[in-house]
């Protein structure tokens, strides 16, 4: 019998919440978080009930503002922007550096909030916080050259991001944008991360960073955060449906924009024989249950290599460790080294279960399905947000799993016979953020890789969003607007020489760095 597990000592949601009340009493009340606008924490908005995907524990929900209050917050952010843009760069750098020191001091609390709010395993939660801190420090050290000949925008930068990387994507972007001379606005993701972002915003606001943090639904806040004339730039990370609406709005207004959208990232196998290397990387591709914009949910495999592929893939996927991120055998044990915990909520888990069942019913072949008995859970805990890893062969064209990113631990495999079929299958979603081609022959890679519609293409290795000086963008419907990373992130939120054409994917032009 497996050992009975218990919650690691000192890591309950109640423990985390009490630490928030102590660390930033200005931003937290006994039963809710506050919104931050007009340089003050505001007890407005209607808090929504929320539960942790980890085990159904009630957690702090977002205090949703109405449309009129959101407009007031944006107007106040413009006033902050007009003052902040004239703050000398050395002072801005010092304030951002002080914020990073404060984030470092509260690193473990920020990570613990990520575990409870969005279900990240402890290892990945700490990495999310560390990537934010280390990434912004790189900009603090090199910002002088990046800003040469450039000025802040005419209005604040509005940030709308998905829930999966509150620190390394959203908080990172906010601090770099502020370092470049802009006031910044962020909408807390509806599905999770509000307490973590509130704590991060409180630490930044204490250092005088002009940050606005508000909660609300897209329908109530989009007019203020996207269409308002005060907004100098819109930065969006999320799905294609919402992103398309934002893209239409900013295009109509001629507004500066950075819109990162999902795509079906694919891994191709063609004339390949290094199966040990592939097998070693398979478990890493399941980090955080593939709830990442750079996850690889689709393998496109040469038919003649399918048996060798399965011999490498199946043993690797059977090693995946799934369960409660804080369940341990003894209270003092370290958190378990999991590959992933829950998906973001029970509704998403049901959606994935339904999609898998429907695909199988329509002809997909199940090659692997994990079982709950193999997972690490507390006795009697709510497991409604957990999805065990699944692998399907040939999902039917009628299934969403055929053409869209599942955003969960579901792999699909498509078999092909020709290079033309390989490329067509790897380009199934009209653009992607990353892709990989595993082939023994370098000349084959060099010939095929430029025909794969992904911003980054790896040769037998996974690609990621990147850190520091690594550029990032997308092709087709996976990206709209300016590319980011390195100098480009700063250039995207500042004004350069007259007539400047930023590298990016715009309606009127496409320009690679």
């Amino acid at each position: 019998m497996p050992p009975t597990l218990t919650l690691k000592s000192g890591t309950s949601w109640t423990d985390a919440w009490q630490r928030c009340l102590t660390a930033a009493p200005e931003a937290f009340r006994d039963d809710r978080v506050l919104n931050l606008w007009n340089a003050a924490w505001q007890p407005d908005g209607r808090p929504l009930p929320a539960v942790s995907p980890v085990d159904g524990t009630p957690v702090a929900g977002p205090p949703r503002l109405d449309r009129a209050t959101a407009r007031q917050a944006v107007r106040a952010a413009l006033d902050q922007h007009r003052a902040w843009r004239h703050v000398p760069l050395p002072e801005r750098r010092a304030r951002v550096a002080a914020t990073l020191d404060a984030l470092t001091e509260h690193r473990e609390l920020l990570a613990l909030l990520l575990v409870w709010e969005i279900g990240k395993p402890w290892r990945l939660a700490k990495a999310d916080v560390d990537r934010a801190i280390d990434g912004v420090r790189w900009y603090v050290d090199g910002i002088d050259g990046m800003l040469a000949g450039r000025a802040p925008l005419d209005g604040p930068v509005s940030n709308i991001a998905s829930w999966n990387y509150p620190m390394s994507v959203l908080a990172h972007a906010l601090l770099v944008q502020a370092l470049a001379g802009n006031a910044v606005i962020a909408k807390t993701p509806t599905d999770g991360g509000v307490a973590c972002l509130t704590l991060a915003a409180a630490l930044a606001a204490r250092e005088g960073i002009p940050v606005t943090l508000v909660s609300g639904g897209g329908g109530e806040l989009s007019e203020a955060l996207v269409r308002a004339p005060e907004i100098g730039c819109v930065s969006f990370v999320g799905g294609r449906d919402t992103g398309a609406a934002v893209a239409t709005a900013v295009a109509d207004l001629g507004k500066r924009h950075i819109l990162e959208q999902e795509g079906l990232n694919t891994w191709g196998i063609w004339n390949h024989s290094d199966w040990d290397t592939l097998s070693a990387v398979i478990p890493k591709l399941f980090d955080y249950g593939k709830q990442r914009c750079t996850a690889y949910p689709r393998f496109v495999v040469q038919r003649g290599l399918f048996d060798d592929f399965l011999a490498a893939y199946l043993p690797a996927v059977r090693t995946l460790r799934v369960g409660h991120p804080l369940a341990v055998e003894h209270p003092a044990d370290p958190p378990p080294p999991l590959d992933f915990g829950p998906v973001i909520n029970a509704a998403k888990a049901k959606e994935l279960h339904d999609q898998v069942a429907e695909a199988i019913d329509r002809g997909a072949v199940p090659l692997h399905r994990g079982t709950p008995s193999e997972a690490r859970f507390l006795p009697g805990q709510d497991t409604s947000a957990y999805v065990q890893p699944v692998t399907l062969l040939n999902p039917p064209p009628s299934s969403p799993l055929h053409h869209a990113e599942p955003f969960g631990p579901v792999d699909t495999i498509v078999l092909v016979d020709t290079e033309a079929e390989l490329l067509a299958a790897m380009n199934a979603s009209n653009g992607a953020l990353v892709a990989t081609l595993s082939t023994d022959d370098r000349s084959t890679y060099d010939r095929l890789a430029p025909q794969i519609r992904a911003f980054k293409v790896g040769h037998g290795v996974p690609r990621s969003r990147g850190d520091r000086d690594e550029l990032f963008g997308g092709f087709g419907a996976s990206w709209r607007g300016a590319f980011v990373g390195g100098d480009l992130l700063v250039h995207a939120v500042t004004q350069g020489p007259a007539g400047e054409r930023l590298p990016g994917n715009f309606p009127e032009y496409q320009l690679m760095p």
Side-chain angles (χ1 to χ4, degrees), residues 318-330:
R318 289 173 183 140
T319 68
L320 293 172
R321 300 156 298 181
V322 184
H324 190 304
L326 299 170
V328 294
E329 293 185 29
H330 306 286

Side-chain angles (χ1 to χ4, degrees), residues 350-365 369 392 394-403:
K350 183 180 185 304
E351 174 190 293
L352 289 169
H353 288 308
D354 290 347
Q355 288 179 351
V356 168
E358 181 182 53
I360 294 173
D361 186 58
R362 295 181 180 181
V365 178
R369 281 187 276 192
L392 302 179
N394 288 338
S398 60
S399 168
L401 297 176
H402 180 80
H403 55 79

